[in-house]
Amino acid sequence: MPGFVISANRVHDGSVVYLDPERRWTSRLAAAATVPAKDQDALIAWARTQEALVCDPHAIKVRDGDDGPEPVDTKQRIRAAGPEATLESLGFLRAATPTAPVHRAEVEA
Amino acid sequence: MYRYDPHDMAIVQQRAAQFRGQVKRRLDGEISEDEFKPLRLQNGLYMQLHAYMLRVAIPYGLLSSAQVRQLAHIARTYDKGYAHFTTRQNVQFNWPRLEDVPSILDDLAAVEMHAIQTSGNCVRNITSDPFAGVAGDEIADPRPYCEILRQWSTFHPEFAFLPRKFKIAVTGAKRDRAAVAFHDIGLRIVEAAGGGIAFQVIVGGGLGRTPMVGPVIREELPERDLLSYVEAILRVYNRYGRRDNKFKARIKILVDAMGTEAFAAEVEAEWREIQDGGLVLDPGEVDRVRRHFTAPDYLDLPEDPSVLEAPTLMDPDFRRWVAGNVMPHRRPGYRSVVLSLKNGELPPGDATHHQLDAVADLADEYGFGEIVVTHRQNLVFPDVEVRRLHGLWQKLHRLGFATPNVDKLTDIISCPGLDYCTLANARSIPIAQAINRRLDDLDTLFDVGELHLNISGCINACGHHHIGHIGILGINKAGEEYYQLMVGGSNSDDASLATVLGRAFSADDIVGAVETVLRTYLTLREHEDERFLDATRRLGLEPFKEALYGTHP
């Protein structure tokens, strides 16, 4: 069903999230609620009350896809899928193990 | 390089501590996003398409090996293992979590780095010639003046809320490698008629929505007046710049609207009021800063390029690298080496944490521990002994940073584009990679020669498409990615803006269109040494339009 999905970015990591039918935030577009245009404003207003969790809520236009709602716009399709060319996808990165930083004393030495 | 004094150190440490408190309040729900957004932007933290992005300042592109190691540490500890060098000689992390950013700022402060003024309507990172201090054609080292301007502009209370962002570039060489004509203020060190040095002052250049080549408003500004004159320019801009329309707020619009002479007259009038005040540049202060940029302990070496002619060094790949990526040096027996971050596989300007660590080690082993970021998104080792070039090449080759393509077709500038950026209309990185894969052979076969190919994913022009010999601009047509193709731009002494050839191409067709333009050039060039840019200027646009569109542009 063509319609709209409410999306935002999570505050703690900036990741893309969508509003599901139970008004919970999910990272899976397939689990998002598709709503008619007339419901957009009310849902965005509600989403703004969630600003401790998410920021910049907005509606994106979707159509039916094989796996649930699919953004009509290229930008939103990329936003949903992630960058095409990452070093991870290109196989350049091994798992990165956190390390200790360079300390001030080493710089001053 | 410039080392922080206790005052500098206190500033960045206090700023990091202040931001830690602000982040805590945001995560605790005590402040709204509207309240937090200006605070995070003042610390270089943007919200991008999929995550936060932290932009870290690299003053005039100069890094120490310790700083590069810290960038590697940040990439692997707080990000996804890589960093992205930008066209403004800065570095960006694409995936930090908000709660980690204060710790990143602490780690940056430990190595004398920060993210202050990498966003917002203030004076941004001062950029310069990547070969500053070692170039043979240098009149004077621009870095002490960059540093003086950096200190003057950091937290300058009068210029914290300008009409729009403000970019300054300084070059001290006879050949412009800092694109000074395309900055809000461009400063060129010149030999003063009366002896000594002076600054040629260019104002109102820029790219973006309204690209302009900046006009000269003063031919010879004495060194003593550098800060007062720049302050006068910013005061005139602050007073008259358009705050009512974001798209007309840059100083280039003001200079164009007022006219160069009228704008210059306003600056001169303002300057007369403050010329002899507290901003007079004391020679002792210039010397104090200059001492941070004294030459390293060079060896006394003969200038003997024949050491590269040894039979053991006849590897054709090494020869191509020496011809393409090794640059002259003012000191006998030394060269500067450009590390190409455009090997066709990595997104342009990206480097993994492994590579960053290796770069830091090589900078210590083969140089004096300094690395410079170029505005073409490559790195430079400024000081390498000629006799050690082959050893360095072997290690860079293994690292993937020895592609011999500097200033060539595949040395592509690319903004992050729609893969990352909220402002973008189209992807840049996949187009750069597709061009590299398809046209690398063409370059090898026909030796296309010097060619700057620049790609931006939107009109804001972070990929400098207007000043590419070939420029590509991503646009949005009915929700789909399309690409305008243009030719004839230059960022150097012959500064010019590229002209769009005709209707835009789809993502599937743009690479073929670039190939058509190149084949047209190869067919019509007068001789093998006629550069693409010179050929387009001689031929005009018609042969390229004809080849691309036939009779239907």
Side-chain angles (χ1 to χ4, degrees), chain B residues 41-70:
Chain B
L41 288 175
Q42 284 169 18
N43 290 285
L45 188 65
Y46 292 72
M47 179 69 84
Q48 292 287 60
L49 217 51
H50 319 282
Y52 291 99
M53 180 273 282
L54 181 67
R55 181 179 295 150
V56 177
I58 303 176
Y60 31 97
L62 181 58
L63 288 163
S64 69
S65 55
Q67 289 173 328
V68 172
R69 278 190 197 93
Q70 196 76 311

